[in-house]
Amino acid sequence: MSAQADYQSPDGNFRLSGFGTLGAVHSSTNDVEFNYPGQGGGAGTTPNMSPDSKLAVQGSYKFTPTFSATTQVMARYDASSQYVPSVDWIFAKWQALPALTVRGGRMGAPFFMVSDFRNVGYANTTVRPNLDVYGQVPTDQFEGGDVTYQYALGSTTFNATLYAGDSKADYASAFRSSGRELGPSNFQLKKLKGLNLTAEMDNGLTLRAGYSKSKISLTSDSVNGLLALGAQATGLGILNSSPALVDVGTKITNATNATLVTQDKDISFVGFGASYDQDNWIISGEYTKRRSNSFIADTTGWYTNVGYRVGKFTPYIGFSRLTVNSANVTATTVVPLAQVAPLTTFANGANSGIQSVLNVQKLAQRTITLGSRWDVMPNVALKAQWDQIHKPADSWGLFFTRDPSAAQEQSFLQNRRTVNVLSVSMDFVF
């Protein structure tokens, strides 16, 4: 689902449309910040417009009856704490046969049920897609191609899509660690391959199943800093003819490589979804699993939302949970040959740094959602939403931490917490 076209050329070949959200979020705590996972900051007790506000323009041109091109440019709050317009979509589409479509270029990453319109707030009942599910994948676009075959059987339309390509995204989880400034991490999904199957029925029911796998690589200031710490200890050991310092430097490097360095590791994602939109009822749900051969945790996420239209209003309720099934790796402890400085200084710094990175994958949380949508006028919807997020002890949930080593952030990590988040938004298409 895309934004409604506002302009169409007289010959019908060029279409221009857009969508946007103006939102504000308030959280009940300042210990951590609420945001869309990966953004460079978010909301605390002072209302913040960054998590949900965005603006996008989409244009398409039909060169022939069977060949067209589409471009979408969007400005939203990113991992560098900026609003910078980016080309999210730029792809060509060939209608090879009435039932066969081929596309190539940069497109929406089809990991979820609402992947194509996850950023179009107006097209969604809730303020944002459920984070306990959608927060598991750090990217929402890929560069490559897909092939879709459509088949009608009675009153049901089936779609099968095969896709392949690469994807990348910047991701921020903290501003600093132990006083050291951190830039966003960069994820790359290489050799991405996937299959999506959908069945759309005329009674308003849609079913979906999807599977994807790829090779994931990660570039991180935290990991690079640990490798630099090991090299520093080794270098000082050589310079000062200290085998013990060389030993601790080698152990730091080996522990970091064994635990955190992520280059071309296997990762997969599977999801099942269903939605029902008929008469006054709007019901949707998804169940997803992420599996990885790196320190990126294995997770399971699910949600269900139920809405009921009453005139121009649609009150809704939702429940969701994100579970960490496996951390996949455990910290390798660096033990110096002797408990003396500077050996212990290097070893303690490395052990703390490795554990801090592993803690980022402690994501478990569950959410209760209550809200309402008001279609105040054509193409404009106002929403108000309350999320109560429960996180267990020894978990960050999906929250952003300014400095995970600080005392108040450590208290948040170590204890059970309940955070109430209030969001209001105005969604529009033009």
Side-chain angles (χ1 to χ4, degrees), residues 180-186 219-227 357:
R180 186 171 64 89
E181 297 296 321
L182 297 176
S185 299
N186 179 263
T219 302
S220 162
D221 282 356
S222 296
V223 176
N224 290 340
L226 286 163
L227 292 172
V357 175

Side-chain angles (χ1 to χ4, degrees), residues 168-429:
K168 61 182 179 180
D170 290 335
Y171 190 97
S173 58
F175 286 135
R176 63 189 65 85
S177 181
S178 300
R180 186 171 64 89
E181 297 296 321
L182 297 176
S185 299
N186 179 263
F187 287 85
Q188 294 187 50
L189 299 178
K190 302 175 183 177
K191 300 179 180 178
L192 173 65
K193 304 177 185 68
L195 170 66
N196 280 332
L197 302 172
T198 63
E200 300 177 16
M201 307 171 196
D202 63 0
N203 64 355
L205 178 64
T206 299
L207 303 176
R208 175 195 176 270
Y211 173 80
S212 66
K213 65 177 183 178
S214 63
K215 300 287 187 179
I216 187 168
S217 296
L218 168 67
T219 302
S220 162
D221 282 356
S222 296
V223 176
N224 290 340
L226 286 163
L227 292 172
L229 184 68
Q232 181 186 9
T234 301
L236 287 174
I238 294 172
L239 183 64
N240 294 290
S241 299
S242 171
L245 202 49
V246 172
D247 174 78
V248 79
T250 301
K251 286 178 177 177
I252 292 172
T253 300
N254 291 342
T256 303
N257 282 322
T259 308
L260 301 178
V261 171
T262 303
Q263 292 295 323
D264 294 328
K265 299 288 188 177
D266 291 333
I267 191 167
S268 64
F269 192 77
V270 62
F272 302 92
S275 66
Y276 178 78
D277 190 340
Q278 186 80 344
D279 300 324
N280 294 332
W281 289 101
I282 307 173
I283 305 172
S284 63
E286 292 184 72
Y287 179 86
T288 56
K289 281 185 173 291
R290 184 180 74 187
R291 294 294 179 265
S292 162
N293 286 340
S294 69
F295 80 92
I296 296 171
D298 291 352
T299 57
T300 298
W302 62 265
Y303 76 86
T304 181
N305 287 326
V306 179
Y308 188 83
R309 297 185 183 94
V310 182
K312 292 185 177 182
F313 293 89
T314 306
Y316 56 85
I317 185 171
F319 302 92
S320 61
R321 181 184 290 270
L322 175 60
T323 303
V324 175
N325 304 113
S326 174
N328 291 325
V329 299
T330 55
T332 301
T333 302
V334 176
V335 181
L337 294 177
Q339 295 297 314
V340 296
L343 303 183
T344 53
T345 302
F346 279 104
N348 292 341
N351 292 331
S352 174
I354 290 172
Q355 189 59 58
S356 181
V357 175
L358 292 179
N359 286 346
V360 172
Q361 291 300 306
K362 296 179 176 180
L363 305 169
Q365 64 175 45
R366 60 183 177 88
T367 307
I368 302 170
T369 299
L370 288 173
S372 184
R373 169 181 173 137
W374 176 25
D375 287 280
V376 61
M377 63 178 66
N379 303 337
V380 178
L382 301 180
K383 299 174 188 174
Q385 180 171 308
W386 168 73
D387 294 288
Q388 186 174 81
I389 303 170
H390 302 261
K391 65 145 223 90
D394 198 30
S395 173
W396 287 117
L398 291 170
F399 293 96
F400 180 88
T401 56
R402 290 174 293 274
D403 185 344
S405 64
Q408 69 178 25
E409 274 90 343
Q410 280 296 303
S411 175
F412 183 89
L413 170 67
Q414 295 164 8
N415 297 286
R416 295 177 60 185
R417 294 290 296 272
T418 298
V419 178
N420 293 291
V421 177
L422 178 64
S423 307
V424 292
S425 67
M426 180 180 69
D427 299 317
F428 51 91
V429 294

Side-chain angles (χ1 to χ4, degrees), residues 53-177:
S53 297
K54 64 180 77 74
L55 182 65
V57 176
Q58 182 183 121
S60 63
Y61 189 83
K62 184 178 290 187
F63 296 93
T64 72
T66 60
F67 185 79
S68 63
T70 299
T71 298
Q72 178 174 291
V73 177
M74 180 161 55
R76 54 180 165 173
Y77 198 64
D78 63 16
S80 299
S81 309
Q82 303 179 82
Y83 281 96
V84 178
S86 63
V87 180
D88 279 16
W89 294 358
I90 180 166
F91 63 86
K93 176 181 176 180
W94 176 39
Q95 193 73 44
L97 297 170
L100 183 67
T101 303
V102 180
R103 300 189 305 170
R106 181 181 299 170
M107 300 169 285
F111 299 121
F112 302 102
M113 190 146 190
V114 295
S115 294
D116 282 345
F117 54 93
R118 63 189 289 182
N119 290 309
V120 186
Y122 184 82
N124 294 283
T125 303
T126 55
V127 169
R128 65 189 69 86
N130 183 275
L131 300 186
D132 290 351
V133 169
Y134 285 70
Q136 294 174 90
V137 180
T139 179
D140 60 8
Q141 62 189 27
F142 80 106
E143 294 182 359
D146 65 18
V147 178
T148 299
Y149 181 76
Q150 187 175 90
Y151 178 73
L153 180 63
S155 60
T156 303
T157 300
F158 296 92
N159 288 279
T161 301
L162 283 168
Y163 60 93
D166 298 315
S167 183
K168 61 182 179 180
D170 290 335
Y171 190 97
S173 58
F175 286 135
R176 63 189 65 85
S177 181

